[in-house]
Amino acid sequence: MTLTVYILEVGEDQEWIFPADNNFERFFAMDGTTIASWDSPVMRIDREEKAYSDCPWLGEHSIFLKQPAIEALSPLLLKYGQILPVRGEDVRFFNATTVLDALDYERSRVVRFDDGSILTIEKHVFDAARIGAAALFKLPMRASMIYVTDEFVEQVRHAGLRGVSFKLVWSNAAA
């Protein structure tokens, strides 16, 4: 069976969302842990000369959801994490809690810091068996991107969500 893995990608002129206090670390530090006591951050959407998005952009490691995206994706997302409130905008934050050590480190091209931790992944190769039927996951590394499979992409497209783009990072059909 073909498995295709994507990351979210910023679209041209897509709305961006920012923490009002510029504390981006809160989002980079998300490590897949369920959050029991969430201090809702104040967020601001940059709408100036931007195209509307049902998922305003902060980065590949975060998913923010406006109401149409919440309605369309909640049943799927809640299998893989939690949807948390924010203040300042009518959006919610998705905390991905499904962490899979699914990267084939030997066949991927990984750039590491001096301490051995991962700086970036230039070429992704996954172990499809470790992903299994997961529609969404993170890797066990700091500021991991959120990876999605065809099930997630199809749900976004079927719902007609606007301003949500994906970048193909790996398919076992090409392997």
Side-chain angles (χ1 to χ4, degrees), residues 32-59:
T33 304
T34 299
I35 299 171
S37 181
W38 170 249
D39 181 19
S40 300
V42 176
M43 304 299 290
R44 297 284 178 243
I45 296 176
D46 177 7
R47 294 179 173 88
E48 192 172 318
E49 298 182 32
K50 303 290 184 190
Y52 173 88
S53 176
D54 287 312
C55 296
W57 182 258
L58 180 67

Side-chain angles (χ1 to χ4, degrees), residues 107-169:
R107 296 173 48 212
S108 297
R109 191 167 41 250
V110 178
V111 177
R112 296 184 181 272
F113 288 106
D114 289 341
D115 67 2
S117 61
I118 296 174
L119 168 65
T120 190
I121 302 167
E122 294 178 341
K123 176 186 173 195
H124 292 80
V125 178
F126 289 100
D127 180 335
R130 289 186 180 174
I131 297 171
L136 182 149
F137 64 95
K138 293 175 82 165
L139 294 173
M141 60 181 267
R142 179 173 160 48
S144 171
M145 293 180 264
I146 296 175
Y147 297 90
V148 300
T149 63
D150 283 324
E151 180 181 3
F152 183 86
V153 172
E154 289 306 315
Q155 189 140 358
V156 166
R157 290 182 178 149
H158 179 73
L161 297 180
R162 297 181 290 159
V164 185
S165 301
F166 300 97
K167 177 183 176 184
L168 172 71
V169 293

Side-chain angles (χ1 to χ4, degrees), residues 14-30:
Q14 179 178 351
E15 289 176 327
W16 285 62
I17 190 164
F18 300 99
D21 63 1
N22 288 320
N23 180 4
F24 293 90
E25 180 59 29
R26 165 187 298 129
F27 301 103
F28 292 136
M30 296 287 178

